[in-house]
């Protein structure tokens, strides 16, 4: 069994999704790399977010990349957003997805990556990502609200003669 890009696009469209899916989409977030030190300029995380759609044509896994950064105050948590500039997004399936000419598309083809990001643009991704993010500890020395983290170089001594 195969599916065309147009058929998949129509099935994934937000207004047709409930009618096309056999079950509610299942979302899974993975953290690929992170650091949580409690510092707003150094805390980060990034990973993948998958949504599994079960259509009559087969099972499709839509994947996007996401990134998160720590907010200025640790108690405010993380800011999460899509990261289309990172590689790894696409639509993965055992069912071949064909373009307009009938040629099979690779899972990471631009058309499929764009469709995955379009699907997730209608979803609340932060609620799926937040549970897998590391807990940000309180910084050992909390900066004041007006700290600019400027580190002057005036204590450096020049080496002469080398």
């Amino acid at each position: 069994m195969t599916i065309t890009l147009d058929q998949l696009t129509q099935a994934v469209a937000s207004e047709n999704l409930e009618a096309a899916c056999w079950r509610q989409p299942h979302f899974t977030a993975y953290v690929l790399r992170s650091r949580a030190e409690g510092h707003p300029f150094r805390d980060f995380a990034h990973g993948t977010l998958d949504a599994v759609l079960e259509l009559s044509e087969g099972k499709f896994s839509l994947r996007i990349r996401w990134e998160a950064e720590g907010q200025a105050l640790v108690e405010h948590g993380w800011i999460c957003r899509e990261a289309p500039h990172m590689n790894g997004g696409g639509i993965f399936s055992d069912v071949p997805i064909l373009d307009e000419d009938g040629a099979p598309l690779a899972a990471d083809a631009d058309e499929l990556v764009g469709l995955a990001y379009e699907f997730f643009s209608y979803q609340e991704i932060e609620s799926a990502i937040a549970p897998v993010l590391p807990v940000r500890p309180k910084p050992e020395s909390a900066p004041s609200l007006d700290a600019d983290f400027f580190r002057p170089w005036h204590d450096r001594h020049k080496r002469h003669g080398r």
Side-chain angles (χ1 to χ4, degrees):
M1 183 174 275
T2 62
I3 188 170
T4 66
L5 181 59
D6 289 338
Q7 290 171 324
L8 185 59
T9 302
Q10 287 193 355
V12 170
S14 63
E15 62 272 1
N16 301 334
L17 186 60
E18 287 188 27
C21 281
W22 288 358
R23 296 184 197 159
Q24 281 292 102
H26 174 71
F27 296 93
T28 308
Y30 299 97
V31 175
L32 300 179
R33 189 161 181 231
S34 69
R35 177 183 4 202
E37 299 173 346
H39 192 285
F41 300 129
R42 290 192 296 252
D43 289 356
F44 75 92
H46 58 82
T48 61
L49 179 60
D50 293 354
V52 176
L53 305 178
E54 293 185 35
L55 306 175
S56 59
E57 292 84 0
K59 197 181 278 191
F60 298 86
S61 178
L62 286 72
R63 178 176 299 154
I64 63 167
R65 294 295 305 267
W66 57 264
E67 61 188 359
E69 61 186 36
Q71 294 197 37
L73 297 175
V74 173
E75 52 271 7
H76 291 170
W78 298 88
I79 299 171
C80 304
R81 64 183 157 270
E82 298 171 345
H85 60 279
M86 295 179 159
N87 294 333
I91 299 179
F92 303 87
S93 177
D94 293 336
V95 177
I97 303 170
L98 308 177
D99 65 5
E100 298 83 31
D101 300 327
L105 291 168
D108 62 349
D110 290 342
E111 298 93 336
L112 298 180
V113 172
L115 183 58
Y117 277 98
E118 184 179 334
F119 169 78
F120 279 102
S121 70
Y122 296 107
Q123 310 301 319
E124 174 56 46
I125 67 170
E126 192 163 349
S127 61
I129 297 169
V132 299
L133 289 171
V135 175
R136 295 179 64 207
K138 295 270 187 202
E140 292 174 14
S141 62
S144 65
L145 293 176
D146 59 347
D148 61 359
F149 296 101
F150 176 68
R151 295 188 179 101
W153 296 94
H154 66 326
D155 272 350
R156 298 244 181 217
H157 300 285
K158 289 186 176 180
R159 291 186 170 174
H160 297 284
R162 287 193 186 190

